[in-house]
Amino acid sequence: MTEPTSIPVARVFRHSNEFQSQCLAWQRQGELVGIVPTMGALHEGHLSLAKLCRQHCDRVVVSIFVNPTQFAPGEDFERYPRTWEADLAGLNSVGVDAVLAPPALEIYPPGFSTFVKPAKVAEPLEGQFRPSHYQGVTTVVAKLLNLARADVAVFGQKDYQQLAVIRQMVQELSIPTRIVMGPTIRESDGLAMSSRNGYLNPEERVRALSISRALFACRDRVSSGEQDARELAVALMQDLIDGGLDSVDYAVVADGNTLESLDRLRPGAVALVAGHVGKTRLIDNVILLPTS
Ligand code: AMP
């Protein structure tokens, strides 16, 4: 890897074949290419992943694509925020080499019918509440990794289960991309940054804070010696309800690889939450114990 000399201005690609040719040209010069897949509406969390990607690669590419196949009918695909100008300004402030922002037909041309069925780790948690979601994610991520011929791909811990699903896909399909996890970036009060936070009105924003509070309290209980994962999950759920969430889809303490709920804490254990505040569904997690 060579040292970057100046902050690049992103070249924007709408067509996937031109983007793929550019990535190939970089690789033929011996440069490592890293990709950060996003759906746009970028915040500091996304930009932190681009910066992390730069630490691992010579060329950083960011995709901005609101992927229709990972939304079920009735979810927020149509109203998902689209903030192109601000996104590009943000990416140029941190310095990325290319942005892939394709129209949907470029990714899914007429007759497209090949999908990547995700592993079992996609079935609990999000898989229970958004049954077709991860198949949309694995399919688009496989395609993006191939388009970029990515040496590295960076994903956020914020979507912990997504990372587990993608890691297994990459391993089992022998995709030669190294997957890197970036930490969850939070607002100063603890709320995990999310493109969906903008849906919250001020009163909902206050109640949304109970998610990170409950997760941090869970982590504190572990630091104080609690080992019983079921007790931890019960307390987590109670804290969320007490904190004013309108409903909780799940609040679990799970194995960090399989995401199966645990009875007793073990290395790599994670606490994961999905809940609703008003019409907004939010997810968050904390790692409770380091992997051994
Ligand atoms: P999105 O466009 O929000 O679906 O996410 C694109 C990437 O950004 C995914 O790898 C997410 O896990 C990651 N991401 C989203 N929010 C955050 C955050 N607050 N901190 C770090 N990474 C994040």
Side-chain angles (χ1 to χ4, degrees), residues 36-46 48-49 70 80 154-160 162-163 182-186 192-196:
V36 182
T38 81
M39 299 204 299
L42 303 183
H43 48 63
E44 285 300 321
H46 299 115
S48 75
L49 301 185
Q70 70 188 68
Y80 198 84
V154 184
F155 295 88
Q157 186 200 319
K158 164 76 168 39
D159 297 271
Y160 189 93
Q162 170 173 280
L163 248 161
T184 302
I185 305 299
R186 299 178 178 280
M193 289 192 183
S194 165
S195 308
R196 291 186 168 102

Side-chain angles (χ1 to χ4, degrees), residues 45-68:
H46 299 115
L47 300 183
S48 75
L49 301 185
K51 289 186 219 164
L52 180 60
C53 192
R54 177 68 68 194
Q55 293 175 20
H56 294 269
C57 294
D58 303 295
R59 299 289 179 176
V60 175
V61 305
V62 174
S63 59
I64 295 183
F65 181 63
V66 186
N67 175 34

Side-chain angles (χ1 to χ4, degrees), residues 1-6 26 29-32 53-60 97:
M1 222 186 102
T2 50
E3 285 298 314
T5 46
S6 60
W26 283 328
Q29 296 169 32
E31 296 182 314
L32 290 175
C53 192
R54 177 68 68 194
Q55 293 175 20
H56 294 269
C57 294
D58 303 295
R59 299 289 179 176
V60 175
D97 295 279

